[in-house]
Amino acid sequence: MIGIWQAMVIDCEDPSALATFYEQLLGMIRLDDQPDWVSIGDAPDRPALAFQAVTPYVSPQWPGHISPAQAHVDVKVNDLDLAEEQVLALGATVTGEGSETFRVYLDPQQHPFCLVSW
């Protein structure tokens, strides 16, 4: 095991509004509330459903793949450098995107995922 599932992240135009919808739908509570990022869940130490602002936002079309769904998994790790070595050995690709607390990779079929640490 390299890390633990931190969140399923959904790209959207208005994170707060979408989080409110899912809070009411699923009976969850708001765990993190920032202008461009909101996460909800049933407890702070369990995986979250998170909403991330993206610009420009293009909504997915169902069914079809012209404008596919935009979501990714966050994996919480203790050491970003070590976890990066491990996911690259599994076949992941570095995107070069990220910050001090997260890094973005592509899985072997080009789906994005993030390693996060804080």
Side-chain angles (χ1 to χ4, degrees):
M1 179 174 82
I2 295 171
I4 59 171
W5 174 33
Q6 177 67 26
M8 172 59 77
V9 182
I10 299 173
D11 291 350
C12 61
E13 187 172 51
D14 184 343
S16 184
L18 195 55
T20 297
F21 171 84
Y22 280 100
E23 280 176 301
Q24 294 172 3
L25 177 68
L26 301 172
M28 294 180 162
I29 59 171
R30 205 162 282 221
L31 303 172
D32 192 5
D33 194 350
Q34 300 173 35
D36 293 334
W37 176 275
V38 176
S39 64
I40 63 172
D42 55 6
D45 62 341
R46 298 187 40 131
L49 185 56
F51 306 91
Q52 170 179 274
V54 297
T55 304
Y57 174 69
V58 178
S59 64
Q61 303 300 308
W62 184 264
H65 297 286
I66 302 301
S67 180
Q70 301 113 13
H72 69 272
V73 174
D74 277 1
V75 179
K76 190 170 185 179
V77 299
N78 292 324
D79 182 321
L80 283 172
D81 293 328
L82 176 60
E84 178 174 291
E85 288 178 28
Q86 294 171 319
V87 299
L88 293 177
L90 291 175
T93 304
V94 175
T95 67
E97 300 291 324
S99 73
E100 206 173 281
T101 59
F102 76 95
R103 295 179 190 164
V104 183
Y105 303 86
L106 300 176
D107 71 17
Q109 293 201 14
Q110 306 305 298
H111 301 105
F113 70 95
C114 292
L115 296 179
V116 300
S117 181
W118 56 83

